[in-house]
Amino acid sequence: MMVLLTLLFPLGVEAAPGLQAVQVTAAPDGGKTYTVSIQVLALMTALTLLPALLLSMTAFTRIIVVLAILRQALGTGQTPNNQILLGVSLMLTFFIMLPVFDKAYQAGIGPYLEEKIEAGVALERALPPLRAFMLRQTRESDLALFVRLSGREDLESVEQVPLSLLVPAFMTSELKTAFQIGFLLFLPFLVIDLVVASVLMSMGMMMLSPVIISLPFKLMLFVLVDGWALVMETLAASFYTV
């Protein structure tokens, strides 16, 4: 995300060497007037867009949805809590997106920070790795859906698809993939719940909640198969960043 922030903030400034936060202007009466630089306002605006960029253009959406479904399947309530799930999702997102960010840095961010190219050129060079990542994860049917809704029938190839169409198509595909993975994770725990509920009913213990009995078995199964490692490996392998 720092790659995107570095690119987005200087869009209105061409290779500015520094950032002047406050400018002091002498007033006619001998006083001084303090004005905030437009660059600072642009930077603060870019910071407010970071959560949206993180949700819509990276692997974060798929990861957090799968982890939330996994917690629901385990039946552990709020354990692990939302802060832990967000932290794990962020770290795994950075791990998955690191090759993409590295390509963007080598192509545009690095030369821009060295003042070899202008901000507009840096943005043009840094966006293709991110576009390629999103295109690899986006289904053709989802991309065709938003192209049809926008009326852009003049697009001849996926390379011509603008970000305004690619980003919503990418998010739609990510939600579909996340729910498919979540469904596969949910099945074994659902079987345990059904077996426990059937046993309790056959024993006439209908007043006893099946969740109380099935939770230890689900936790034991998840620990024995090294569930967290398998989930992390599956999520990381579900992306193609090379």
Side-chain angles (χ1 to χ4, degrees):
M1 283 299 97
M2 292 305 298
V3 175
L4 296 175
L5 175 61
T6 308
L7 283 173
L8 290 175
F9 131 73
L11 287 179
V13 182
E14 297 296 332
L19 179 64
Q20 298 180 357
V22 179
Q23 297 178 350
V24 182
T25 305
D29 57 357
K32 295 181 180 180
T33 303
Y34 299 90
T35 58
V36 179
S37 173
I38 297 299
Q39 297 181 17
V40 176
L41 296 178
L43 175 61
M44 298 305 295
T45 302
L47 287 174
T48 60
L49 295 176
L50 275 180
L53 295 176
L54 178 64
L55 290 173
S56 59
M57 302 177 70
T58 66
F60 182 82
T61 300
R62 183 187 304 184
I63 297 171
I64 190 63
V65 171
V66 170
L67 293 182
I69 294 177
L70 174 61
R71 182 177 64 180
Q72 184 71 22
L74 285 171
T76 55
Q78 293 298 316
T79 304
N81 58 28
N82 294 331
Q83 288 79 4
I84 294 178
L85 289 186
L86 288 173
V88 172
S89 301
L90 283 173
M91 293 302 103
L92 190 57
T93 298
F94 291 142
F95 171 77
I96 294 172
M97 299 297 297
L98 186 60
V100 180
F101 291 158
D102 184 64
K103 291 180 181 179
Y105 181 87
Q106 297 295 333
I109 303 300
Y112 170 75
L113 295 178
E114 296 173 0
E115 300 184 4
K116 295 181 180 180
I117 58 176
E118 297 179 349
V121 178
L123 181 62
E124 293 178 358
R125 294 183 180 180
L127 280 180
L130 191 59
R131 284 180 52 90
F133 169 80
M134 289 191 292
L135 282 173
R136 280 192 293 267
Q137 314 306 322
T138 304
R139 292 175 171 81
E140 293 184 1
S141 59
D142 296 327
L143 192 58
L145 168 65
F146 285 94
V147 170
R148 184 173 67 254
L149 291 176
S150 65
R152 296 290 302 274
E153 303 295 341
D154 57 325
L155 300 176
E156 299 179 356
S157 63
V158 293
E159 286 75 16
Q160 298 179 356
V161 176
L163 286 178
S164 59
L165 301 181
L166 177 58
V167 171
F170 169 73
M171 291 191 66
T172 304
S173 294
E174 286 295 280
L175 289 174
K176 289 182 179 179
T177 304
F179 275 84
Q180 290 175 354
I181 298 175
F183 172 76
L184 296 177
L185 288 174
F186 213 107
L187 280 181
F189 302 111
L190 179 61
V191 172
I192 294 177
D193 286 332
L194 291 175
V195 171
V196 170
S198 299
V199 171
L200 291 178
M201 289 186 65
S202 64
M203 296 175 62
M205 303 174 64
M206 292 177 291
M207 300 302 295
L208 180 62
S209 175
V211 177
I212 300 177
I213 307 299
S214 63
L215 179 57
F217 289 99
K218 291 191 288 187
L219 292 178
M220 181 180 64
L221 172 65
F222 194 68
V223 171
L224 288 178
V225 300
D226 198 7
W228 286 114
L230 289 176
V231 170
M232 298 301 174
E233 180 182 2
T234 301
L235 285 172
S238 65
F239 294 93
Y240 302 93
T241 57
V242 181

